[in-house]
Amino acid sequence: MKGEHKLKKIWVLTVLILTSLIFAACSSDSANSDDGSDSEDSSEGEGTTVEIFSWWTGAGEEDGLLALIDLFKEKHPDIDVENAAVAGGAGTNAKAVLASRMQGDDPPSTFQVHGGAELNDSWVAADKMQPLDDFYEENDLMDKFPQDLIDLVSDEGNIYSIPVNIHRGNVIFYNKKVFEENNIEVPTTFDEFLAASEELEAAGVTPLALGDKNSWPATQILENILLAKLGPDDYKGLFTGDVAFDDSRVVESVELFGEMLNYINDDHASRVWQDAAQLVAEGDAAMTVMGDWAKGYFSNDLNLTVNEDFGYITTPETEGLFMVITDTFGLPKGIENEEETKEFLKVLASVEGQDTFNPLKGSIPARVDADESKYDEYGKDTMDDFQNAEALAPSIAHGSAAPEGFLTKMNQAVNIFVTQQDVDQLVNALVNASSEF
Ligand code: GAL
C-alpha cells in the first residue's frame, strides 16, 4: 500500500513537471512570435537533431567539418547536431551505409554527395531528393556559384544540392627537399616523370607514394593520365559514349599507368592515402598523386608549410585543366527536421560557412564571392587556376563523371591491374563497365 502511494505521488509530480514545461514552451513561442524575433533560433529547434552524414573522419578529413558544425552551433544553440561520419576515404564505406539507409527510407537529414553522376544518377533518379530551387532563390544563391557547379548539381532544370567546396584532383604533391637535395627537376610531362623517377630511385627514394588499400587512389592516377592523353573533350566523351574505352589513347594511358606503377612503394596495398602522403612528408617518397584534401592533411595534421616543406604541381600534361571534385549537401525526401536542416544548409552555403570549412579542408570555396585572404598560397593559386582553367573535367574516382556501378567495376579492375599489369584485361574491363551508362 505504501508503495502504491509513493507511485501516485511520483505520477502527480511528473504530470506537474510536464505541464509546467509545456506551459513554458508555449509562452516562449508566443513571446517570439509577438516580438517578431526569429522563433527558429530560440525554440523551434529544441529537441531536434540535424544528422550530418559524410566520410570525413580522422586525419586531414574532419577539421573542416567540425569547424563548420561549431559555426552552426554558435548560430543555432538549440539545434543538436549528430555527426554521423563513416570512416573511409572517398566514401569507401560511407556510400554503402548511405545506400542501405536510403533504401530503407531512413535518410540522414543531409549527406555528402559529389555533384554529377553520384547525385543525379543515384539519388535524384530514384526520386529521393527535394529540389532546392526555392531555397536558392530565397537565400539569394542563384548567382553565387559558378554555372559549371550549378550544372553538376542540377537535373532536368532543378537544383538538388549545395556545393560546399571545390577540390582539385589533378595534383602531384611532392617533397621539396628531396627534389632539391638530389638536384632533380619536378616533372611536368610523362617522359620527365619517368626520367625523374629513375633518378629518384637511384638516389634511394621511392618516386611515387601510393596507398591503394582502398583502390580509388590508383583509379585517380589513371583518370589523370586519361585526361592528359585524351584532352578534356574526349575525356568527357568516354562517358557520353562518343569515345570508346578501347580507343588507342586509352590503351596508351593504361600502358603509361603500368610504367608509373613501377615506381611505387612496395607496401602500397596496406596503406591508405594519408599513409602514402606521410611517406612524402617524411622524405621516404618524393611524390604522391592526390586530391588537395592532402594539402589539408599536410598543413593541419602534419604542420607542414606549403612551398617550404611540400610543393605542388598539376599532374603531367594537364596544366590549364582542372579535375573538379565537389562535395555537396542536399535535402533528402522524408526527413523529419526539414526546417532545422535548411538552417544547416544556409550556414554551409554562406560565405562565412565556406570560408570556415575550406581553408582547413584544403579545398577552395564553391562560392564566387568568398574571402580570398582566408586562404594560403595553395588556396589562392588554386582559385586562380579554377577561374582561368582552359577546361574543367569531372572526376571518375570521385563520383562526378560516371555512375556508381561503373566506378565500382573500374576500381575493381584497377586494383587487379596494379598487381597483374595486364593492359588488355583492364581495357576490356572498362569497355564492359561502360554498359553501366
Ligand atoms: C573525396 C572527397 C573529399 C575527400 C576525399 C578523401 O571523394 O570529395 O572531400 O574527403 O574523398 O576522402
Side-chain angles (χ1 to χ4, degrees):
M1 280 304 272
K2 235 180 159 183
E4 217 181 279
H5 192 71
K6 212 173 166 189
L7 264 179
K8 230 182 188 173
K9 249 179 134 179
I10 294 173
W11 169 243
V12 170
L13 242 160
T14 314
V15 170
L16 268 174
I17 292 169
L18 280 177
T19 318
S20 55
L21 278 178
I22 291 167
F23 180 74
C26 288
S27 51
S28 90
D29 257 4
S30 57
N32 280 331
S33 35
D34 279 347
D35 68 15
S37 69
D38 184 356
S39 63
E40 279 166 21
D41 275 2
S42 47
S43 67
E44 256 184 42
E46 232 168 73
T48 55
T49 302
V50 175
E51 188 192 7
I52 302 161
F53 187 95
S54 76
W55 56 85
W56 291 327
T57 69
E61 294 277 63
E62 70 181 358
D63 295 350
L65 175 65
L66 297 183
L68 186 64
I69 290 176
D70 280 350
L71 179 68
F72 175 71
K73 281 184 178 163
E74 239 173 65
K75 295 186 184 296
H76 297 278
D78 298 329
I79 304 179
D80 290 330
V81 172
E82 187 183 339
N83 180 0
V86 175
T92 306
N93 309 312
K95 286 188 197 172
V97 174
L98 179 69
S100 83
R101 288 191 57 173
M102 295 295 270
Q103 274 147 23
D105 286 329
D106 176 30
S109 314
T110 186
F111 59 88
Q112 176 187 2
V113 60
H114 292 123
E118 192 177 307
L119 169 69
N120 293 323
D121 295 355
S122 299
W123 310 125
V124 175
D127 199 22
K128 299 276 188 191
M129 303 302 290
Q130 304 194 38
L132 291 173
D133 303 61
D134 291 347
F135 180 90
Y136 269 73
E137 289 289 357
E138 283 158 17
N139 294 291
D140 190 24
L141 296 173
M142 278 305 194
D143 57 351
K144 300 297 187 297
F145 297 93
Q147 191 56 43
D148 291 299
L149 282 203
I150 294 289
D151 291 347
L152 275 177
V153 296
S154 300
D155 194 52
E156 294 183 6
N158 289 316
I159 309 177
Y160 285 98
S161 68
I162 301 153
V164 67
N165 66 356
I166 300 165
H167 268 306
R168 187 172 201 178
N170 57 324
V171 191
I172 288 185
F173 290 95
Y174 62 90
N175 183 305
K176 279 196 87 111
K177 287 190 195 94
V178 165
F179 277 91
E180 278 159 19
E181 278 166 13
N182 292 293
N183 210 10
I184 299 172
E185 289 287 311
V186 178
T188 59
T189 65
F190 287 104
D191 284 346
E192 285 173 14
F193 178 91
L194 297 174
S197 295
E198 276 298 306
E199 289 183 66
L200 287 160
E201 204 166 59
V205 182
T206 300
L208 180 63
L210 175 66
D212 68 337
K213 184 173 179 184
N214 304 315
S215 49
W216 62 268
T219 301
Q220 194 167 340
I221 298 179
L222 178 56
E223 75 179 9
N224 280 314
I225 305 174
L226 288 170
L227 177 62
K229 291 297 166 195
L230 290 153
D233 291 341
D234 283 358
Y235 168 82
K236 288 183 211 159
L238 290 170
F239 312 103
T240 55
D242 292 334
V243 177
F245 271 94
D246 54 5
D247 184 284
S248 62
R249 292 163 298 170
V250 176
V251 177
E252 188 196 338
S253 300
V254 174
E255 283 166 355
L256 196 47
F257 181 36
E259 286 185 64
M260 288 175 74
L261 291 174
N262 292 331
Y263 297 104
I264 61 176
N265 43 304
D266 291 340
D267 61 354
H268 59 93
S270 62
R271 286 179 184 263
V272 295
W273 71 265
Q274 287 99 329
D275 306 327
Q278 203 164 17
L279 287 176
V280 175
E282 286 165 3
D284 293 329
M287 304 175 268
T288 190
V289 173
M290 195 35 65
D292 47 18
W293 42 91
K295 170 8 236 169
Y297 176 59
F298 284 140
S299 300
N300 305 327
D301 289 86
L302 304 183
N303 285 321
L304 303 182
T305 306
V306 66
N307 286 336
E308 270 179 39
D309 302 312
F310 69 96
Y312 54 91
I313 191 165
T314 50
T315 51
E317 299 170 27
T318 65
E319 214 203 318
L321 307 177
F322 199 110
M323 187 71 84
V324 177
I325 295 151
T326 180
D327 294 303
T328 77
F329 287 79
L331 201 61
K333 287 188 174 169
I335 57 169
E336 276 164 19
N337 40 15
E338 206 175 296
E339 287 315 308
E340 291 77 14
T341 305
K342 280 187 179 164
E343 293 304 325
F344 176 73
L345 293 178
K346 276 188 212 169
V347 174
L348 174 147
S350 67
V351 169
E352 194 185 5
Q354 303 225 335
D355 286 344
T356 299
F357 176 84
N358 288 301
L360 294 169
K361 188 66 171 65
S363 37
I364 58 170
R367 281 187 70 123
V368 293
D369 54 351
D371 179 358
E372 259 201 54
S373 71
K374 298 254 161 48
Y375 297 79
D376 66 7
E377 264 173 82
Y378 177 83
K380 290 194 178 96
D381 229 19
T382 308
M383 283 184 219
D384 205 51
D385 281 359
F386 181 82
Q387 275 149 23
N388 299 309
E390 191 187 303
L392 306 178
S395 165
I396 313 170
H398 301 283
S400 294
E404 203 58 26
F406 176 87
L407 177 55
T408 305
K409 290 182 179 167
M410 180 168 177
N411 277 335
Q412 281 163 358
V414 164
N415 196 242
I416 296 168
F417 182 81
V418 174
T419 48
Q420 300 188 356
Q421 302 228 1
D422 183 334
V423 173
D424 290 342
Q425 195 181 40
L426 177 50
V427 170
N428 287 337
L430 294 176
V431 171
N432 291 337
S434 63
S435 64
E436 295 282 341
F437 297 148

